[in-house]
Amino acid sequence: MSARVLIVGATSAIAEAVARRYAAQGAALFLAARRTDRAAVIADDLRVRGAAAVTVAAYDATVRDTADALVAAAWEALGGIDVALIAHGSLPDQPACAASAVLTRQELEVNALSVIDLLTPLANRMASARHGTLAVIGSVAGDRGRQSNYVYGAAKGCLAVFMQGLAHRLTPVGVRVLTIKPGFVDTPMTAAFPKGPLWASPQTVARDIQRAIERGAQVLYTPWFWRWIMLVIRLIPTSIFQRTRL
Amino acid sequence: MDAQTSFPSWGRYPPATPARVLPVRFRDQAVPRVAGSVLPYGNGRSYGDSCLNNGGTLLATRGLDRFLAFDPSTGLIRCEAGVLLSEILSLTVGYGWFLPVTPGTRLITVGGAIANDVHGKNHHLAGTFGHQVTCLELVRGSGERMRCSATERADLFAATIGGLGLTGLITWAEFRLKRIANPYVQVERTRFDRLDDFFDLALGAEREREYTVAWIDCLATGRHLGRGIYMAGTHAAPTCEGAPGAPGRTLSVPFDPPVSLIAGPTLKTFNELFYRKQFRRVQTGLEHYAPFFYPLDGIDQWNRIYGPKGFLQYQSVVPMALGRDVTREMLQCIARSGQGSFLSVLKVFGDRPPAGLLSFPRPGVTLALDFPFKGPSTLRLFETLDALVTQAGGAIYPAKDARMSPALFASGYPRLDEFRRHLDPAFSSSFWRRVTGDAP
């Protein structure tokens, strides 16, 4: 049977690249996005590329108490979910967050709490079905707090620990839990940054994500070298770390 | 695949630096309002400066890479302008549909194929890519969004085909694919010893063949002048024996050699081997479409072999009446200069009237050459060739040009003034400013 895939934040570049890989395999997809007009454009493309069925639904991560309804709608439309990829997020303006507790809270809500709102009902449904993969796009930024983007890092770090706990809880019942930690990815979210050799394309990241889902990995650094870069960054002693501007 | 970090042209000459590069990812996006001009940049396969906008803004269109619709029963396809021809083939060949017209690389975008009104080995039967387009959407700098076709805004449609990206941003296009039975091509290669033999082949029964082109040994002189190999192909029949597999891995030129690897001795050897490798006069066989249509796509970034100075292409067309003589004179000039060309290609275009106001293909003989850029001596050779083309009432292909004079451009494109009326004032390119003297 072809895969049944829920993608939240479906207009993100990484999410779209993952969706194409599943579409080419004949999957049925449920796309949730704030911009449903753009998700519909993506849906047309996925149908041409071979998706068995594509459904588009509106979802705004800044509106509370909508996650349960979204998960229920996707579960019903797809007749169960094999893979759920949660890919929405924003890249906070760190200096602006440093000056505003309100903005900091908003960013934490979008990047961490709204994701957890989805994870809880998805985890419970998958636990009952004793089947499925929960995949969340975290970030290498969640591995160590750094002055340049610790609000984003705190949200992604929160997700990483939450997912670690979910994995501990759900692995015994046959549900897989994957935290994806991309490094620098050339997407609209990062359009303003100068690019160098550490930057990867969304297609490369999507290929890694699909492979990690297939092999049942719990944590994916993509591209692979970020595992070692982040290991070094985590191991730098605090006394030295304090003197860097990372 | 790595993230794209620079936006050169394929010949890597002339160097140019855009003030900014703005990616376009959704077709509902308007053309951004910026200081200076904008220019769509697809996959950067134009050789010269027609895809460059020095000091201006590039709209990187590869993010517009979605299909809108494809009907496997009729072969009608509609896709966004940043889709590569290779991506179309990956989708459609399995359904038995092929590109109706394809140039010698599949690594170009649909937008680029229209903006340069590209041609292929079947020009004599099918015309250009622009002839295949049934309709397209154009977004102008003013924010206006419009459908163009032979019946809707036909003038703007004709200006946009071959319009070098200067009439607005193409967001999607629709065209009809060509039925094939399988991915194979029945190929016949014929060695010919002199230029006249080429014309006898090209103007004889060969005109009925679907795909025809000739490779020329442009270092050969005297009675061997214009010797080469004539290639003719047709899509294979439904039942064909001994079908080869698809080609394997892509090779790559992984670094920039400090000097051009295409120098006198390597070139002489290559040309001699290429000509001699075929023992029999006529050789036939079945090939996968990839090596037949896209021999160089198998080598990633092959343009690097020309070293850091880059290379120049020269593609001209001259009317058939003078075709034989002018081609002979051009080949004599090149052989005399000793600046041989690695890939010299000769083809007779068909008689179909051009699809666009600035389309390059027109009835006549086209000669395409590439040369490592050696500075003034290369430019001098080109000026000699220019004089021959001008005298014959011919033209140079903008997609391959980095140096033609405004006078040569004007004489080769008599509908230039008509085209100007459709220019989008927000759009410009390094090429356009060079050949017209317009402000940035």
Side-chain angles (χ1 to χ4, degrees):
Chain A
M1 197 178 79
S2 64
R4 301 161 297 176
V5 183
L6 163 67
I7 300 184
V8 183
T11 60
S12 94
I14 294 174
E16 183 176 9
V18 172
R20 284 185 188 178
R21 298 185 73 89
Y22 279 104
Q25 295 175 354
L29 293 120
F30 190 98
L31 308 181
R34 188 176 46 184
R35 293 283 306 260
T36 48
D37 55 338
R38 290 184 171 179
V41 162
I42 291 171
D44 285 340
D45 174 68
L46 297 176
R47 287 185 196 104
V48 171
R49 289 177 193 269
V54 188
T55 312
V56 169
Y59 171 70
D60 186 338
T62 63
V63 180
R64 270 202 230 170
D65 301 328
T66 54
D68 280 336
L70 177 73
V71 169
W75 197 275
E76 189 172 337
L78 294 171
I81 294 176
D82 300 310
V83 176
L85 173 66
I86 304 178
H88 70 269
S90 67
L91 192 57
D93 178 341
Q94 176 60 44
C97 285
S100 163
V102 173
L103 189 57
T104 297
R105 170 180 284 272
Q106 281 172 11
E107 293 294 353
L108 289 172
E109 284 182 349
V110 168
N111 285 302
L113 297 179
S114 74
V115 179
I116 289 172
D117 281 350
L118 290 161
L119 287 173
T120 299
L122 280 167
N124 293 338
R125 282 172 185 266
M126 285 185 179
S128 307
R130 303 182 78 85
H131 166 81
T133 299
L134 267 174
V136 166
I137 298 193
S139 172
V140 294
D143 280 13
R144 186 165 192 175
R146 288 174 292 118
Q147 59 87 27
S148 58
N149 69 344
Y150 60 84
V151 172
Y152 187 64
K156 295 298 193 182
C158 169
L159 287 181
V161 175
F162 190 89
M163 292 290 278
Q164 202 174 33
L166 272 186
H168 198 200
R169 173 188 148 202
L170 297 177
T171 305
V173 297
V175 176
R176 292 166 162 188
V177 177
L178 168 65
T179 305
I180 300 149
K181 298 183 180 182
F184 299 143
V185 187
D186 187 7
T187 70
M189 194 167 93
T190 57
F193 291 75
K195 308 293 191 295
L198 291 180
W199 288 77
S201 70
Q203 289 75 24
T204 302
V205 169
R207 183 201 59 201
D208 288 352
I209 290 173
Q210 199 187 28
R211 284 184 187 164
I213 289 171
E214 279 164 12
R215 69 167 196 271
Q218 254 184 48
V219 175
L220 167 71
Y221 285 88
T222 169
W224 59 272
F225 49 79
W226 284 96
R227 174 181 295 277
W228 309 108
I229 293 174
M230 295 318 296
L231 180 66
V232 170
I233 288 179
R234 282 201 308 275
L235 290 178
I236 297 173
T238 309
S239 56
I240 297 172
F241 197 70
Q242 290 305 104
R243 285 179 240 152
T244 69
R245 298 297 296 162
L246 285 169
Chain B
M1 191 164 108
D2 298 327
Q4 186 162 12
T5 54
S6 69
F7 295 81
S9 75
W10 192 241
R12 308 202 296 175
Y13 175 89
T17 313
R20 61 189 83 71
V21 177
L22 299 177
V24 187
R25 212 170 91 75
F26 286 97
R27 55 180 187 266
D28 62 60
Q29 287 172 276
V31 173
R33 289 187 191 279
V34 293
S37 62
V38 300
L39 181 74
Y41 180 99
N43 210 34
R45 249 51 180 197
S46 294
Y47 288 81
D49 52 0
S50 64
C51 64
L52 302 178
N53 194 10
N54 198 27
T57 298
L58 291 178
L59 304 177
T61 61
R62 272 291 282 133
L64 291 177
D65 64 345
R66 300 179 194 88
F67 295 99
L68 283 74
F70 167 54
D71 183 345
S73 63
T74 63
L76 194 66
I77 191 163
R78 190 181 280 199
C79 66
E80 290 180 344
V83 171
L84 296 181
L85 300 188
S86 60
E87 294 168 337
I88 295 175
L89 291 169
S90 303
L91 175 73
T92 64
V93 167
Y95 289 104
W97 295 101
F98 199 74
L99 295 165
V101 164
T102 178
T105 172
R106 59 192 150 168
L107 301 176
I108 65 164
T109 63
V110 166
I114 296 170
N116 294 287
D117 195 17
V118 300
H119 59 274
K121 299 175 175 64
N122 62 349
H123 181 274
H124 57 292
L125 297 177
T128 58
F129 195 89
H131 283 121
Q132 322 303 321
V133 177
T134 50
C135 64
L136 56 82
E137 183 184 72
L138 198 64
V139 178
R140 302 274 281 185
S142 62
E144 226 183 323
R145 187 175 290 269
M146 50 191 85
R147 270 174 67 114
C148 302
S149 69
T151 53
E152 301 156 280
R153 299 173 196 269
D155 294 358
L156 187 55
F157 185 58
T160 300
I161 293 172
L164 302 169
L166 299 168
T167 63
L169 177 70
I170 302 170
T171 56
W172 58 260
E174 182 188 81
F175 50 97
R176 207 171 285 284
L177 298 168
K178 171 195 186 77
R179 205 45 150 155
I180 51 172
N182 53 49
Y184 307 112
V185 182
Q186 184 68 46
V187 185
E188 186 179 289
R189 289 185 160 77
T190 308
R191 210 172 65 196
F192 56 90
D193 299 328
R194 50 199 191 99
L195 194 60
D196 277 334
D197 295 351
F198 163 78
F199 284 103
D200 292 346
L201 282 165
L203 299 173
E206 287 298 325
R207 283 191 82 70
E208 306 309 311
R209 301 287 192 105
E210 210 166 349
Y211 300 103
T212 62
V213 73
W215 170 85
I216 299 275
D217 177 1
C218 68
L219 295 182
T221 52
R223 65 193 171 84
H224 294 304
L225 186 81
R227 72 176 182 181
I229 300 196
Y230 190 91
M231 281 167 275
T234 44
H235 287 288
T239 51
C240 52
E241 304 258 317
R249 271 188 74 102
T250 306
L251 303 172
S252 175
V253 181
F255 62 94
D256 289 299
V259 296
S260 171
L261 303 178
I262 304 303
T266 48
L267 189 64
K268 190 107 188 149
T269 312
F270 170 85
N271 279 17
E272 193 67 31
L273 285 175
F274 197 93
Y275 183 72
R276 295 285 169 201
K277 79 170 182 186
Q278 183 164 327
F279 294 114
R280 277 169 295 147
R281 176 157 296 274
V282 179
Q283 189 173 299
T284 59
L286 205 57
E287 282 182 20
H288 189 267
Y289 74 80
F292 178 72
F293 288 106
Y294 314 113
L296 287 173
D297 285 355
I299 307 167
D300 195 26
Q301 305 197 52
W302 63 265
N303 55 338
R304 285 179 166 176
I305 62 174
Y306 285 99
K309 285 188 194 159
F311 69 108
L312 293 174
Q313 275 258 343
Y314 194 90
Q315 184 167 359
S316 57
V317 59
V318 294
M320 199 57 232
L322 302 165
R324 279 181 201 240
D325 296 341
V326 174
T327 305
R328 177 172 296 107
E329 282 180 63
M330 291 175 80
L331 289 174
Q332 280 165 349
C333 275
I334 294 159
R336 265 203 305 274
S337 77
Q339 301 199 40
S341 165
F342 179 49
L343 297 157
S344 314
V345 170
L346 195 57
K347 174 162 177 70
V348 175
F349 280 142
D351 295 331
R352 196 157 169 188
L357 300 181
L358 293 189
S359 290
F360 165 74
R362 62 200 72 186
V365 187
T366 184
L367 176 64
L369 309 147
D370 59 347
F371 299 89
F373 183 56
K374 291 185 182 165
S377 67
T378 310
L379 296 175
R380 269 199 306 276
L381 169 64
F382 278 29
E383 279 160 23
T384 315
L385 299 176
D386 284 350
L388 292 168
V389 171
T390 308
Q391 269 172 19
I396 301 289
Y397 192 5
K400 296 191 169 177
D401 178 69
R403 35 64 56 201
M404 81 166 115
S405 68
L408 181 52
F409 182 62
S411 73
Y413 294 88
R415 299 182 79 178
L416 188 54
D417 286 336
E418 202 180 335
F419 174 77
R420 276 181 178 280
R421 294 203 291 273
H422 300 287
L423 271 176
D424 188 316
F427 287 61
S428 182
S429 68
S430 292
F431 173 86
W432 185 252
R433 293 188 290 275
R434 180 168 61 76
V435 298
T436 63
D438 282 7

